[in-house]
Amino acid sequence: MNKVLIIYTGGTIGMDCNAKTGALEPLRFDRLSNKMPELGQIPTAIEVYQFAPPIDSSDMSPLQWSQLVRVISDNYDEYDGFVVLHGTDTMAFTASALSFMLENLTKPVVLTGSQVPIGQLRTDGKENLITSIEIASAKHADGSPMVPEVCIYFSGRLLRGNRSTKVNADGFNAFDSFNYPHLADAGINIVYHEEYIRKPDYTKPMIPHFDLDPNVVIFTLFPGIQDNIVQHALDVPELRAIVMRSYGSGNAPQRPCLMNMLRDAASRGVNIVNISQCAEGTVEMGRYDTGYQLKNARVISGYDSTVESAVAKLMFLLGQYRDPEIVREKMEQNLRGEISL
Ligand code: ASP
């Protein structure tokens, strides 16, 4: 029988109403699984590791990402796959971070959660959890895993983790990946789109990475953005990288003051990564003069990366390398299927 480890971090899936305040708060997994006798019917051996205490994913941080990598790597040989129960709010960040931190991953790591707690009548959590367990234990005829990568399963869609974004705060279809096709779609059957699923090198050992450097910031351009405020942000001594959310295909206002500030920061070793504010499409800094100027200022192309993936990739690379030139070079490489080149 295949064996799956459920890692319960918290999130709405395991929450219940606080009797006094009426607000949702996380429950222990044993209380959660009591509400889900169906778990006993799944033909997969299931074991559980739970975060103590379980958290709302708004409280996720690189510390918990390292803890997740520790749990997965300590249990890697014992299980066929891993299901991470996680709040939806920061799930795409965690999935992106795990994809970089688990190098040469050859087993499924499926993140899921729900919009309505498992204990409530109209919950989406049961289907999400049961299908995630099925995906985490699914194998080809030769015994190799169907989906040997970090992914998010939610409401019938299996998405590459570092391509996913939370798109809906209310609906059950909370996630999508705009620049990469679904890895599978679950209806009556689970249909795997094998051509889009990563094919790892099974001869290489999985290498867990624990060090991240969170000295990064995301800033969004908008008409009227003030140079002096940008200058203050760039002057923070600890700052090592910026994800700059630019317009359209990677464009920014052309005024020389802004360009000079970015160029100076880049020459001091701050890595500036250009990501589009559009959900779909890619950065192409040569298309308009307004983008070309950024290229000249040594701004790095983030191509069609999500913001979540760009931030996680920067934290990961900054945690591995002191030299901004190496970080720059690796940012423009496709490390885990996170960008299309
Ligand atoms: N605030 C919750 C969390 O991210 C929302 C959810 O799980 O959907 O933990």
Side-chain angles (χ1 to χ4, degrees), residues 251-287:
N251 306 312
Q254 292 197 60
R255 55 181 188 271
C257 181
L258 182 68
M259 287 302 153
N260 289 339
M261 278 191 290
L262 295 175
R263 190 176 297 105
D264 287 352
S267 63
R268 287 199 316 266
V270 176
N271 291 111
I272 305 169
V273 181
N274 188 1
I275 301 284
S276 175
Q277 291 175 26
C278 302
E280 201 170 330
T282 190
V283 162
E284 218 185 303
M285 289 192 279
R287 195 183 299 175

Side-chain angles (χ1 to χ4, degrees), residues 11-27 31 35 116-120:
T12 297
I13 191 162
M15 292 190 186
D16 210 354
C17 280
N18 177 304
K20 276 196 198 131
T21 64
L24 289 172
E25 61 180 20
L27 285 183
R31 291 190 48 202
K35 296 176 194 286
V116 178
I118 268 190
Q120 294 188 8

